[in-house]
């Protein structure tokens, strides 16, 4: 497939092989460890969800720059929708509309490769939210309305929106697939090492099932995997040095686990288990992709600062030079 980085194809192939092998692994687990009926049903539901979810994620990323950026924008809007429904923010229509419009404009800025506009939208939309909240003339609950709106725009708009910028790079498809692949495996590594070695809880009030051993195990394994993939993706650049590769891997694993914990805190605060019901066995999209939230900004700006990618002199696609 011309124009697609070899590492992107390797990762796509690895995902396809993984989906083909998982049923055999589940059957082996059922016979070897005598899994309970409830756990069996949940694991099969998760697998069936991934059969649909994986192509929806991988195909747009391989299809081209605009498809990848559009898919990031749609994911941001859907995650915001789940958050707004769970918190009741959707009842405040003006604030909700500004957040949604802000996400659409961020997506346009990324598609246009207009980084100055992308940066400006943060202060402009936050200002709009603070001012628009006055229109209801209801001082009671003002801070909560504004706080939820700003939180939602920054987290689901700005933070997730950073992923679109990878698509503007020559190696963007490989960057995006490597990040998403490693973030999902980061969760699996944390779960497996936590089950094997975990004793002491990481944050028992926030996420009772997470352990310190799981977090450390994920940090080590994910760092090794992401550093290896980045070595092949960034070959010949300033980033292809052990210090940068290891730091990027640690950043991805750490920020991925932080995203999971942040959304767990939100759910505990709301007193709910899941933020949505779209994906059987997973919950909602936000329950599945919360680990991505802070990874995009961390990895993108590290690469930008150390010369892995450039945000300094973009060529605008739609609005001219």
């Amino acid at each position: 497939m011309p124009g697609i980085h070899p590492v992107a194809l390797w990762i796509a192939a690895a995902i396809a092989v993984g989906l083909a092998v998982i049923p055999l692994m589940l059957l082996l687990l059922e016979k070897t460890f005598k899994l309970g009926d409830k756990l069996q049903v949940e694991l099969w539901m998760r697998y069936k969800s991934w059969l649909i979810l994986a192509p929806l994620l991988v195909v747009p990323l391989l299809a081209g720059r605009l498809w990848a950026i559009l898919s990031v924008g749609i994911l941001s809007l859907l995650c915001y929708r789940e958050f707004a429904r769970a918190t009741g923010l959707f009842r405040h229509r003006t604030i909700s509309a500004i957040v949604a419009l802000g996400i659409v404009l961020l997506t346009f800025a990324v598609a246009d490769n207009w980084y100055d506009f992308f940066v400006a939208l943060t202060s402009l939309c936050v200002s709009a939210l603070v001012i628009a909240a006055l229109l209801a003339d209801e001082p009671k609950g003002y801070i909560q309305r504004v706080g939820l709106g700003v939180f939602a725009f920054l987290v689901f708009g700005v933070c997730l929106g950073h992923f679109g910028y990878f698509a503007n790079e020559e190696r963007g498809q490989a960057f995006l697939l490597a990040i998403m692949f490693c973030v999902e495996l980061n969760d699996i590594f944390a779960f497996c090492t936590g089950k094997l070695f975990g004793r002491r809880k990481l944050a028992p009030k926030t996420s009772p099932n997470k352990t310190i051993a799981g977090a450390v195990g994920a940090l080590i394994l994910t760092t090794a995997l992401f550093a290896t993939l980045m070595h092949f993706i960034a070959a010949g650049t300033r980033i292809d040095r052990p210090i940068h590769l290891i730091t990027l891997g640690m950043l991805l694993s750490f920020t991925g686990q932080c995203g999971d914990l942040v959304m767990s805190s939100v759910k505990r605060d709301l007193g709910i288990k899941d933020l949505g019901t779209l994906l059987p066995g997973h919950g909602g999209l936000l329950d599945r992709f919360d680990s991505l939230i802070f990874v995009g900004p961390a990895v993108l700006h590290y690469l930008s600062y150390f010369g892995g990618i450039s945000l300094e002199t973009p060529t605008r696609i739609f609005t001219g030079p």
Side-chain angles (χ1 to χ4, degrees):
M1 298 177 69
I4 299 180
H5 196 283
V7 175
L9 294 176
W10 299 347
I11 296 171
I15 293 171
V17 170
L19 290 174
V21 170
I22 284 175
L24 299 176
M25 296 175 61
L26 291 177
L27 291 172
L28 182 62
L29 283 172
E30 289 174 11
K31 292 184 178 181
T32 305
F33 294 100
K34 305 294 183 183
L35 301 178
D37 292 339
K38 184 178 179 181
L39 182 57
Q40 288 183 40
V41 171
E42 182 178 350
L43 289 174
W44 281 107
M45 286 174 62
R46 287 183 173 230
Y47 171 68
K48 291 175 182 177
S49 292
W50 272 116
L51 284 177
I52 300 172
L53 202 55
L56 289 176
L57 288 172
V58 173
V59 171
L61 298 185
L62 295 179
R65 188 186 76 90
L66 286 177
W67 285 106
I69 293 170
L70 183 61
S71 67
V72 171
I74 292 172
L75 179 64
S76 297
L77 285 170
L78 291 175
C79 286
Y80 167 64
R81 177 178 177 271
E82 289 183 350
F83 177 83
R85 291 179 66 86
T87 58
L89 184 59
F90 74 97
R91 297 189 185 93
H92 306 287
R93 295 184 179 180
T94 303
I95 292 177
S96 198
I98 291 173
V99 175
L101 178 61
I103 292 174
V104 171
L105 290 174
L106 285 170
T107 303
F108 169 77
V110 175
D112 193 33
N113 206 14
W114 190 359
Y115 188 66
D116 287 345
F117 186 38
F118 182 89
V119 173
L121 281 169
T122 300
S123 56
L124 291 173
C125 286
V126 168
S127 299
L129 287 167
V130 173
I131 295 169
L134 295 169
L135 298 177
D137 193 26
E138 295 179 5
K140 185 174 177 60
Y142 173 81
I143 294 175
Q144 183 182 32
R145 294 194 302 274
V146 172
L148 285 173
V150 171
F151 178 90
F153 175 72
L154 293 178
V155 171
F156 310 119
V158 177
C159 288
L160 281 179
H162 277 75
F163 281 102
Y165 261 99
F166 288 103
N168 287 327
E169 293 296 311
E170 182 181 355
R171 300 177 297 274
Q173 293 165 319
F175 280 135
L176 283 169
L177 278 171
I179 290 170
M180 292 190 179
F181 183 63
C182 289
V183 166
E184 293 305 316
L185 285 179
N186 191 47
D187 291 342
I188 295 173
F189 291 152
F191 175 80
C192 293
T193 53
K195 287 294 183 184
L196 289 173
F197 309 109
R199 294 293 182 272
R200 190 172 179 180
K201 299 296 183 182
L202 178 65
K205 292 182 180 179
T206 301
S207 188
N209 294 325
K210 296 191 186 320
T211 64
I212 294 176
V216 173
L219 185 69
I220 294 170
L221 294 173
T222 303
T223 297
L225 176 61
F226 191 59
T228 301
L229 291 175
M230 286 298 294
H231 165 67
F232 291 105
I233 296 172
T237 70
R238 293 169 57 189
I239 293 297
D240 189 20
R241 299 175 184 174
I243 183 63
H244 292 313
L245 299 176
I246 292 171
T247 302
L248 281 166
M250 294 178 68
L251 267 178
L252 181 138
S253 181
F254 175 73
T255 54
Q257 294 184 60
C258 286
D260 194 351
L261 287 170
V262 166
M263 286 301 112
S264 291
S265 292
V266 170
K267 288 185 281 189
R268 291 290 180 272
D269 192 17
L270 294 173
I272 58 177
K273 182 179 182 295
D274 297 315
L275 287 163
T277 57
L278 184 63
L279 303 174
H282 295 280
L285 280 171
L286 192 49
D287 295 294
R288 179 63 272 155
F289 297 114
D290 52 6
S291 299
L292 286 170
I293 292 171
F294 306 117
V295 173
V299 174
L300 181 76
H301 289 295
Y302 186 94
L303 288 172
S304 174
Y305 185 81
F306 289 103
I309 61 176
S310 176
L311 299 172
E312 297 295 330
T313 55
T315 301
R316 295 190 210 164
I317 308 300
F318 304 116
T319 58

